[in-house]
């Protein structure tokens, strides 16, 4: 890691900047794919799978059959199935507690307002192919969709890994399609003969998938959040175990060469010990090459004080923030920008990535300044409802009339006036 | 209104379709404005105000002074100020109850997870100029920003109406700038010498403002939601007062020629009575021309049954839905797509537009299928936090290891393995 000692505040923005991603070129590739799927539906999906993935979907069909999904269970070890079931339970428990009961609020006598949470009727989940079969993400997106009561949960994935199918069954995904890439996003955004159109699309993907999501979002299809490379910031002091810190940094670095890894400390000694631990651990990793590349771009920043560390971490707004410091919980209270926070020596990021119960779909790239990670809220709409009694309108009406008049919206005023006049007729003073 | 009697389901999509807005031309106008503000900052804002609004901001300065804001109070009637204060109180009460207490959840023994709500540090509110000074929108956006504890609340508006300044003071807006149009969105998205960069932008505007918001959203700046023309659907039966229904339809129609107005009923008699009441009421409106135009495009749809009505309303996904039917609350329970619902004869949309307490920034254009209206949630991020004890990790660790291994993420597994090994060393069995 590159060690940067006591940088001035003026240097912070450059140190904390994420690599800028030029999206124009990728969008130029993706836009015609979206248009083709919109116009040609299933035929486009079959053609594009042949072109990009050398896969012949005309034989297998787009949809994964119930029999294929059922068969997945037999292909997994009992240990893995038990692990997935335990993770499912923990994630379910944590997200279930995010349900908010309906509460009727009388803002003035006779004026009653409330909110109803209603699951988004149709949602789409995307799970990429590639080397790592992200069945954990099926749980992270599928569990809140299930709890929200989404009626149609569509999963598009080019992977046919049995753990993905098993997880899809567990969370009650209604339809699985063997479609990947930008064309899968298009299919769910616009609908095709086989794939239902959905109202919100979730899930990770490469830069083409990400660009496709941003483009359909501009057209009004909701998406989970904008995406960038995964990242971790670790704030550690002398109470941290250097080998654990090194392991956490590496578990981020192995995601890809563009992973962002940041270590912040007030202790020169800790930074040096972590740096010593890294090469040994690195050499044991199957993904050593990827992780080495990510580490080359990573930084260890020495700061003067805990106050500086907190300020720097808030400026960075990490997706994952590990606080391996003595007073971790107190520090967490002062963090204003982060996706998810992990406290102390025995809370590795991996726990939250898989099974502790929190969601692992989190804002990267500084988006934690404005965005939350995925939660039950991401799968529901909150519809406000109000009911006003005649007496309530008699009290509230004049307020509405005065404001509508001042905004020059006369019909708004009259909608109240007419009702108050009717009430006055019915009950003359 | 155009009366459509018992259309077949095949006709619904066309009947319920919103006018398609071609955004390409507008984006072509807006993109260079965004680029100019990004590059030239304040100088661009001054030049563009001169060009588009014939306003010389170099004299007045961009920021509205504290003295100007303070002076607004004296220019308003006591009645209007009292009305604004009452609306403020009701909106505050309703949004305050949306706060969620921190709840620590032990998903497994020793595995504790929770969520912290933290206000987005810097938010920007946009309030358009034009004929109607939308001080009510200042309340609707400013109150939840204030409750969320957003530290910087920037308001850009080309209007200098005292009610807007008065409302801005009331909700604790930190800075007000006399900047309008797409350039105001750019200023808040990128920051200028005078205007702070914000992380999320809220508020209504014309199609240039809307296009600017969508473009900066694609760059990662959060926005409240995509926007379209305002709309109301009224579902009425013979228990509805026709004059009230007509008044509610008109209070939507007066917003603009593109306002969407829909009446749904099982009663031919009700539709005819409403149609009779419309011309009389219309003739009394100062905005008669606008409302007449909107009504020309509006529809009254007769359906066979309440079940059909509910299905049609859910397919439409109205921004505002008025249920003037006998069993309104029961019907509301079956509504899955709507921004805000108004029950019964004495709950006009105007009440929610101004002062009952619910938010009036709501999803239009069918976006209610996936989006909620603005609420306290719109101004906070929910950061997840977790703390795992050594015992907790001993129970959860093997689950994480099994899943990480199956996803071929070896470093994720090792981050757990290392810790479990350390615990085993410390406490040999």
């Amino acid at each position: 890691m590159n060690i940067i000692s006591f940088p001035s505040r003026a240097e912070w923005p450059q140190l904390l900047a994420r690599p800028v991603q030029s999206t124009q070129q990728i969008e130029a590739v993706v836009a015609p794919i979206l248009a083709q799927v919109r116009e040609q539906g299933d035929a486009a999906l079959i053609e594009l799978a042949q072109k990009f993935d050398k896969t012949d979907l005309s034989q297998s069909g787009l949809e994964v059959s119930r029999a294929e999904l059922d068969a997945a269970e037999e292909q997994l070890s009992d240990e893995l199935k038990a692990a997935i079931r335990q993770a499912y339970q923990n994630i379910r428990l944590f997200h279930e507690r995010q349900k908010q009961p309906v509460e009727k609020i009388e803002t003035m006598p006779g004026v009653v307002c409330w909110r109803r949470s209603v699951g988004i009727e149709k949602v789409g989940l995307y799970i990429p192919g590639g080397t790592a079969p992200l069945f954990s993400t099926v749980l992270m997106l599928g569990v809140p969709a299930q709890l929200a009561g989404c009626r149609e949960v569509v999963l598009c994935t080019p992977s046919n890994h049995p753990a993905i199918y098993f997880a899809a069954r567990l969370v009650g995904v209604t339809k699985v399609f063997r479609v990947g890439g930008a064309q899968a996003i298009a299919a769910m955004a616009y609908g095709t003969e086989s794939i239902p159109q959905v109202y919100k699309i979730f899930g990770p993907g490469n830069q083409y998938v990400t660009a496709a999501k941003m483009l359909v979002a501009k057209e009004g299809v909701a998406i989970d959040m904008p995406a960038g490379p995964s990242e971790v910031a670790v704030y550690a002091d002398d109470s941290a175990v250097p080998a654990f810190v090194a392991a956490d940094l590496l578990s981020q670095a192995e995601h890809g060469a563009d992973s962002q890894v940041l270590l912040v400390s007030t202790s020169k000694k800790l930074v040096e010990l972590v740096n010593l631990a890294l090469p040994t651990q690195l050499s044991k990793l199957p993904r050593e090459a990827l992780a080495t590349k990510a580490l080359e771009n990573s930084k260890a920043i020495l700061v003067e004080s805990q106050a500086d560390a907190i300020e720097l971490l808030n400026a960075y707004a990490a997706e994952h923030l590990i606080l391996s410091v003595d007073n971790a919980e107190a520090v967490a209270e002062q963090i204003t920008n982060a996706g998810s926070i992990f406290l102390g020596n025995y809370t590795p990021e991996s726990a939250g990535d898989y099974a502790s119960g929190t969601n692992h779909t989190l804002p990267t790239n500084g988006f934690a300044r404005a965005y939350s990670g995925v939660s039950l809220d991401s799968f529901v709409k909150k519809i406000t409802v109000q009911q006003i009694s005649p007496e309530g309108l008699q009290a509230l009406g004049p307020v509405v009339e005065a404001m509508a008049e001042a905004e020059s919206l006369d019909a708004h005023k009259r909608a109240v006036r007419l009702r108050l006049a009717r009430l006055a007729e019915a009950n003359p003073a």
Side-chain angles (χ1 to χ4, degrees), chain A:
Chain A
M1 300 184 90
N2 308 300
I3 302 180
I4 296 119
S5 300
F6 312 115
S8 70
R9 269 181 176 58
E11 295 170 83
W12 283 13
Q14 208 202 320
L15 281 174
L16 302 179
R18 272 80 169 182
V20 177
Q21 299 172 342
S22 161
T23 54
Q24 271 190 324
Q25 278 186 312
I26 293 165
E27 280 177 18
V29 175
V30 167
I33 295 176
L34 300 188
Q36 191 183 343
V37 174
R38 185 170 214 159
E39 284 156 28
Q40 300 166 16
D42 285 349
L45 298 177
I46 290 167
E47 188 188 322
L48 292 165
Q50 187 63 258
K51 182 172 166 189
F52 294 127
D53 308 320
K54 314 290 171 228
T55 307
D56 186 1
L57 292 180
S58 65
Q59 294 306 308
S60 60
L62 296 178
E63 189 170 355
V64 179
S65 70
R66 187 74 191 195
E68 280 173 278
L69 295 177
D70 287 344
E73 192 168 344
E74 290 161 32
Q75 298 168 52
L76 301 178
S77 72
D78 288 343
E79 186 203 5
L80 182 57
K81 281 185 282 190
I84 292 175
R85 287 199 181 98
Q86 180 67 57
Y88 170 80
Q89 268 185 26
N90 291 355
I91 298 164
R92 197 174 158 99
L93 189 62
F94 186 66
H95 288 75
E96 195 150 39
R97 297 283 277 274
Q98 293 165 14
K99 283 189 181 170
Q100 285 180 281
V102 171
E103 193 192 6
K104 293 194 174 179
I105 297 162
E106 196 162 16
T107 54
M108 285 172 84
V111 180
V112 182
C113 306
W114 64 97
R115 297 200 297 170
R116 281 178 61 220
S117 286
V118 181
I120 298 172
E121 202 180 322
K122 301 180 195 182
V123 298
L125 316 183
Y126 183 75
I127 301 293
T131 50
L134 298 181
F135 58 86
S136 60
T137 306
V138 178
L139 299 180
M140 294 294 174
L141 301 176
V143 168
Q146 188 177 37
L147 289 169
C150 300
R151 273 190 256 170
E152 182 95 82
V153 183
V154 173
L155 172 66
C156 281
T157 180
S159 170
N160 62 355
H161 195 285
I164 289 182
Y165 290 173
F166 178 72
R169 287 285 317 272
L170 205 56
V171 300
V173 163
T174 47
K175 282 181 174 142
V176 181
F177 297 95
R178 39 185 136 254
V179 179
Q183 58 271 32
I185 304 303
M188 295 191 280
Y190 309 133
T192 71
E193 300 89 327
S194 303
I195 303 184
Q197 180 182 35
V198 303
Y199 305 140
K200 190 168 184 176
I201 297 173
F202 297 79
N206 62 21
Q207 50 192 352
Y208 298 96
V209 168
T210 300
K213 284 172 68 186
M214 294 311 276
L215 286 175
V216 300
K218 203 161 73 61
E219 295 168 7
V221 179
I223 61 168
D224 44 3
M225 68 189 83
S230 190
E231 53 195 35
V232 72
V234 180
Y235 171 38
D237 64 11
D238 289 321
S239 75
V241 179
F244 296 176
V245 174
D248 292 339
L249 296 174
L250 287 172
S251 74
Q252 190 59 50
E254 77 171 338
H255 274 301
D258 58 355
S259 285
Q260 301 294 303
V261 175
L262 184 70
L263 172 62
V264 178
S265 185
T266 50
S267 162
K268 194 176 171 216
K269 187 177 142 210
L270 183 275
V271 170
E272 286 169 353
L273 290 172
V274 171
N275 237 350
L276 275 176
L278 281 171
T280 331
Q281 292 192 28
L282 193 54
S283 65
K284 292 177 193 149
L285 292 181
R287 289 172 167 247
E288 185 186 353
L290 277 181
T292 304
K293 195 123 194 221
L295 279 187
E296 278 168 12
N297 301 319
S298 72
K299 293 165 192 133
I301 303 180
L302 272 170
V303 293
E304 301 269 6
S305 65
Q306 182 154 96
D308 280 6
I310 291 168
E311 203 180 323
L312 187 130
L313 293 167
N314 282 331
Y316 183 62
E319 181 192 12
H320 304 98
L321 173 59
I322 299 176
L323 300 176
S324 261
V325 289
D326 210 22
N327 56 342
E329 196 168 345
V331 172
E333 288 291 318
Q334 294 179 67
I335 296 298
T336 52
N337 294 324
S340 196
I341 305 178
F342 302 78
L343 304 183
N345 273 316
Y346 288 92
T347 315
E349 189 203 305
S350 317
D353 287 342
Y354 286 108
S356 62
T358 60
N359 210 288
H360 80 193
T361 304
L362 295 166
T364 55
N365 200 35
F367 296 132
R369 294 182 195 107
Y371 288 89
S372 310
V374 161
S375 71
L376 185 62
D377 295 338
S378 312
F379 291 86
V380 301
K381 304 150 304 175
K382 292 186 180 153
I383 303 176
T384 49
V385 190
Q386 59 201 283
Q387 181 150 37
I388 305 177
S389 68
E391 298 69 31
L393 194 65
Q394 279 166 328
L396 184 67
V399 170
V400 176
E401 289 184 85
M403 292 175 74
E405 185 179 319
E407 286 195 355
S408 311
L409 292 172
D410 205 57
H412 282 64
K413 181 181 171 183
R414 279 167 194 265
V416 171
R417 176 110 309 268
L418 215 71
R419 286 167 164 95
L420 293 183
R422 170 77 60 116
L423 290 172
E425 274 169 37
N427 302 297

